[in-house]
Amino acid sequence: MAADSSHETTPLLPNAEQEDLTHNTDTMGSTLLWKTGAVFGATAVGLGAFGAHGLKKHISDPNKLANWSTAAQYQLVHSVALLVASNNPVAGALFTAGMTMFSGSIYALTLDTERFRFMGPVTPLGGLCLMAGWLALAFGKRGAGMRWPRF
């Protein structure tokens, strides 16, 4: 016996209005992650330049300057990773937390080791978040990070 389809109201193919509604709700989080990645990237360039030029006037320890450079490099690389992960909220959150904890704690410790000594344990936690972000990309929905958000 054939099913009566006269009461079906959902079309098989979505219309443009339905696609826009779905796309808008899907991209709200991805737009935030995209903008966060772009801001983190811009600040990484600025902080890297500050470390290469302005910080040398105040800090003479080459190890501290190298640490600052490492923090800026990791922040910049993971800013790009955050752009790629803009449609993977788990990876995006892990990259954001990881950059904040890893690079942020290194910046603080470089500027004033004694004052920010308590942040020492934060650095490896940030590194773990960065690694977990890469794993979230690897094992998340395939291709989820490759759709660029519409603004």
Side-chain angles (χ1 to χ4, degrees):
M1 179 173 185
D4 180 15
S5 62
S6 62
H7 298 299
E8 291 182 16
T9 58
T10 306
L12 293 175
L13 297 174
N15 63 33
E17 185 178 298
Q18 289 171 320
E19 285 181 2
D20 283 344
L21 180 61
T22 302
H23 186 76
N24 286 338
T25 58
D26 288 345
T27 61
M28 286 180 4
S30 64
T31 300
L32 177 62
L33 289 174
W34 181 267
K35 289 180 179 183
T36 301
V39 169
F40 267 94
T43 57
V45 172
L47 289 167
F50 173 70
H53 303 289
L55 197 59
K56 288 182 179 181
K57 297 174 185 173
H58 304 285
I59 296 175
S60 60
D61 183 351
N63 290 328
K64 285 187 173 187
L65 294 173
N67 288 344
W68 186 279
S69 178
T70 298
Q73 288 173 353
Y74 270 65
Q75 183 178 341
L76 186 58
V77 166
H78 287 90
S79 296
V80 174
L82 184 53
L83 296 177
V84 171
S86 64
N87 283 306
N88 184 326
V90 173
L94 288 165
F95 285 139
T96 301
M99 283 187 282
T100 302
M101 290 189 291
F102 182 84
S103 295
S105 64
I106 292 175
Y107 294 138
L109 288 164
T110 299
L111 292 174
D112 192 341
T113 305
E114 290 305 315
R115 182 175 178 192
F116 296 109
R117 182 171 301 282
F118 70 94
M119 294 189 79
V122 173
T123 308
L125 292 175
L128 288 172
C129 286
L130 294 174
M131 289 186 283
W134 287 106
L135 293 172
L137 279 181
F139 297 108
K141 185 177 176 184
R142 184 180 166 121
M146 297 313 294
R147 294 183 323 238
W148 304 110
R150 290 192 326 191
F151 298 98

